[in-house]
Amino acid sequence: MPDDRVRVRYAPSPTGDPHVGNIRTALFAWLFARHTGGDFIVRIEDTDTARTQEGSLEAILESLRWLGLEWDEGPEVGGPHSPYVQSQRRELYQNAARSLVEAGHAYYCHCTPERLHEMRKEQQRLKQPTGYDRLCREAGRGPDGDPSPVVRFKMPLEGETTFNDLIRGEVTFANATVDDFVMLKSDGYPTYHLASTVDDHLMDISHVLRAEEWLPSTPRHVHLYDALGYDMPLVAHLPIILGPDKSKLSKRHGDVALLQYREMGYLPEAMINFLALLGWSLDNHTELLSRDDLVNNFSIERIVRSAAVFNLEKLTWMNGVYIRNLGEEELAERIAGILDESLSQEVARPVSRDYVRSITPLVRERIRTMTDIPELTDFFFLRDLDYPPADLVQRGLEPADTANALDSTVERLAGVGEWTAEALEGELRPLAEELNVKTGQLFGAIRVAVTGRKAAPPLFETMAVLGRDLCLERLRKAVASVSTVD
RNA sequence: GCCCUCAUCGUCUAGCCUGGCCUAGGACGCCACCCUUUCAAGGUGGAGAUCAGGGGUUCGAAUCCCCUUGAGGGCACCA
């Protein structure tokens, strides 16, 4: 394998349903891999047994699948560096830790959680920087028969560490501000620092793209790589995604799990486009980019440095654009699928595809998210409409006028030859004039009578689709119910 | 408290590296008008950023330098 091959990984912890910020990181890594013709690897970092959640792995993989971020190596597909689950690679980390201790780069620590807690409290009280005080490093003890010591890495006591971040440039930390972190926990599992360093090396990762919150621990990794004798991959810390309150997006912000957006009727194509533009841009005007456009144009250089607020309104707008851009057949099929799932039981399944095809052009530019569909179309399917009779009465008309207008409509329409939108319009426009009401008033009353709604798709097309019998029946019912309005 | 990062319309961003084309461009949202039987979609126009603030450098700074401020992130036997 050539040395310069790009290999990036997405390394989530299975501690819950991945949220949009997390997946945005995966997307950038995937885009970078695909743009460069490199490899995209998924590695599961389940080294915290207490936080690992049942079902989370499936949610992670399903999130990637939904967006079409296929992976070259990882769970389910395997690969030359299997397994891709850290809990199954414990020996690797334990060996690395042991050799680090032997080489004098790390040491056993016997401090109890209680002592560490007290130490931290004291440091805070004295307003000193918090961090491990290196008691066990100075004592220079071995395992000492302690059944569960931790292993800490020896950070340099002085000097500074500088590394180059692909997005931020040179970043420097004083080594004195970085403490001796735990690499191997008392339960024998590694911490992130050790596990990811060992795996990134073993898996030949060339670039680490991760969220900005990792920036402060990068000096640790610099020294870990060095002590292990590994070359360090290039690093790029992606800007964080914020909630409306401008703090890091998290569960308390509500709808953050990526898969929730699928439930809410968002299209994966729109989601990808939107997420890609959260922290990256092509130029000063391009908003709509397909997955291929993104792959072709993605570059780390054009990732912004500052954090971005997740703007749901823009996502929703973009989703509408993608829905409108869907082919008629494609949209109809998706609409039918949704209706089959969501319509009331009284409607026979599967819903007629031809019927749905005739409805689709009437609603396509009114759909913002796919979950709008039942609300937008149910009157096409339901037998009985449920609406307040008062809605029939238009501004400037009395109930009696309305009853009369609707009654005349029934009469006029009963004799119409061809039940088409053009024919209907040809009958009803003159009727308004004859009745001496505004077209808006007549059509408004008919709209409510026929759809049960004040806002609906274009009236004549809608009536044409509904058919003569249903329209006349609904109009007659309306005439009867409007008499109950005082 | 300590460390790091960031800072252009309400929001996402272009411009910053390679000062002048920026009296700062686009998009979402908002407002108005047009289209129109309603709601959308579409079209046109508008409000909205003294480029966080202050100092420099320069003939000239959103762009370079310094300081300040603000915001975010990190400071676990979590990732």
Side-chain angles (χ1 to χ4, degrees):
Chain A
M1 181 177 309
D3 239 5
D4 57 355
R5 183 173 182 80
V6 167
R7 285 175 58 82
V8 295
R9 90 285 145 86
Y10 167 54
S13 292
T15 56
D17 294 349
H19 68 75
V20 292
N22 199 289
I23 294 296
R24 202 277 314 255
T25 301
L27 172 63
F28 280 22
W30 180 85
L31 286 172
F32 183 58
R34 290 294 170 262
H35 178 77
T36 56
D39 301 318
F40 179 62
I41 294 128
V42 173
R43 184 175 71 220
I44 304 301
E45 311 221 322
D46 57 343
T47 55
D48 184 346
T49 53
R51 288 206 314 152
T52 295
Q53 260 182 43
E54 193 68 31
S56 182
L57 172 60
E58 188 42 44
I60 288 166
L61 300 182
E62 184 58 22
S63 295
L64 296 176
R65 276 192 292 258
W66 183 51
L67 293 184
L69 309 185
E70 74 288 349
W71 53 102
D72 304 300
E73 297 172 28
E76 296 185 348
V77 303
H81 303 287
S82 291
Y84 291 86
V85 177
Q86 290 186 329
S87 60
Q88 295 167 24
R89 304 168 61 85
R90 288 169 65 188
E91 267 185 46
L92 259 19
Y93 317 122
Q94 288 165 350
N95 292 341
R98 193 174 311 119
S99 72
L100 248 16
V101 171
E102 282 164 8
H105 288 299
Y107 59 94
Y108 291 98
C109 173
H110 307 279
C111 294
T112 62
E114 292 72 35
R115 188 185 103 74
L116 295 173
H117 181 70
E118 286 306 316
M119 177 197 72
R120 223 167 351 251
K121 261 171 53 183
E122 181 67 3
Q123 288 166 338
Q124 275 162 0
R125 195 180 66 77
L126 296 172
K127 300 195 184 304
Q128 289 173 343
T130 53
Y132 182 56
D133 61 7
R134 301 190 164 100
L135 182 73
C136 290
R137 175 172 179 171
E138 283 150 16
R141 298 197 292 165
D144 287 12
D146 182 342
S148 55
V150 303
V151 177
R152 287 183 186 271
F153 182 79
K154 285 185 187 171
M155 279 296 292
L157 271 8
E158 47 194 41
E160 48 187 33
T161 300
T162 299
F163 56 90
N164 185 54
D165 183 282
L166 262 20
I167 294 172
R168 282 147 226 287
E170 277 198 354
V171 181
T172 300
F173 286 80
N175 291 330
T177 65
V178 185
D179 73 349
D180 290 353
F181 59 96
V182 172
M183 303 188 312
L184 201 65
K185 300 182 270 187
S186 56
D187 62 3
Y189 279 86
T191 59
Y192 170 87
H193 310 297
L194 212 216
S196 68
T197 297
V198 168
D199 284 346
D200 285 344
H201 170 72
L202 257 25
M203 295 180 181
D204 210 16
I205 299 301
S206 64
H207 296 68
V208 171
L209 274 68
R210 54 163 44 153
E212 189 190 341
E213 63 219 47
W214 289 106
L215 196 56
S217 46
T218 305
R220 295 172 163 180
H221 305 153
V222 171
H223 290 281
L224 235 192
Y225 274 100
D226 191 47
L228 253 8
Y230 302 159
D231 284 333
M232 184 162 161
L234 299 174
V235 294
H237 289 93
L238 308 177
I240 285 185
I241 293 185
L242 311 174
D245 66 349
K246 306 210 172 190
S247 68
K248 188 165 84 168
L249 198 65
S250 68
K251 284 113 274 173
R252 73 189 163 76
H253 286 108
D255 299 322
V256 294
L258 179 85
L259 259 12
Q260 266 181 283
Y261 287 87
R262 179 170 65 179
E263 301 317 307
M264 292 188 284
Y266 290 88
L267 263 29
E269 305 91 304
M271 198 69 196
I272 286 199
N273 192 158
F274 174 74
L275 249 23
L277 257 21
L278 226 44
W280 178 88
S281 66
L282 174 61
D283 52 33
N284 67 344
H285 64 277
T286 308
E287 301 284 338
L288 268 18
L289 296 111
S290 69
R291 183 189 331 239
D292 285 348
D293 292 337
L294 291 170
V295 166
N296 290 335
N297 295 293
F298 186 79
S299 71
I300 290 180
E301 294 72 51
R302 292 198 61 86
I303 296 176
V304 299
R305 275 172 281 274
S306 52
V309 173
F310 188 87
N311 185 188
L312 182 63
E313 283 173 333
K314 186 157 184 174
L315 202 212
T316 303
W317 162 77
M318 193 171 274
N319 201 55
V321 171
Y322 274 87
I323 288 172
R324 275 171 252 133
N325 286 346
L326 244 29
E328 197 108 310
E329 274 301 305
E330 166 77 8
L331 214 211
E333 195 41 53
R334 295 205 200 195
I335 290 176
I338 286 171
L339 291 175
D340 277 339
E341 273 174 38
S342 63
L343 242 29
S344 119
Q345 282 313 313
E346 65 177 81
V347 181
R349 308 297 155 79
V351 160
S352 157
R353 305 288 127 152
D354 281 342
Y355 191 48
V356 171
R357 260 193 291 278
S358 64
I359 292 167
T360 299
L362 301 182
V363 296
R364 70 176 307 160
E365 57 204 26
R366 274 156 258 262
I367 306 171
R368 290 152 62 79
T369 71
M370 300 306 275
T371 47
D372 290 342
I373 289 168
E375 161 99 16
L376 246 25
T377 61
D378 62 357
F379 62 84
F380 282 109
F381 299 92
L382 299 174
R383 183 87 217 157
D384 298 309
L385 264 22
D386 186 26
Y387 61 90
D391 284 357
L392 290 163
V393 183
Q394 304 297 296
R395 261 181 82 96
L397 286 187
E398 293 300 315
D401 305 329
T402 303
N404 179 253
L406 256 16
D407 204 37
S408 306
T409 302
V410 172
E411 248 178 69
R412 180 69 61 103
L413 259 26
V416 171
E418 244 197 321
W419 192 265
T420 63
E422 298 71 35
L424 290 166
E425 182 162 14
E427 294 292 336
L428 296 176
R429 274 194 194 280
L431 179 61
E433 202 166 330
E434 288 167 35
L435 292 168
N436 196 28
V437 298
K438 294 178 183 159
T439 51
Q441 293 174 318
L442 207 219
F443 299 167
I446 297 175
R447 176 177 302 106
V448 173
V450 154
T451 69
R453 301 182 192 288
K454 292 193 244 187
L459 184 58
F460 309 118
E461 283 82 349
T462 299
M463 291 174 76
V465 169
L466 283 168
R468 182 194 306 262
D469 294 348
L470 229 203
C471 286
L472 291 178
E473 178 187 323
R474 286 178 175 176
L475 284 162
R476 289 196 187 95
K477 278 187 185 166
V479 172
S481 71
V482 78
S483 66
T484 65
V485 180
D486 64 325

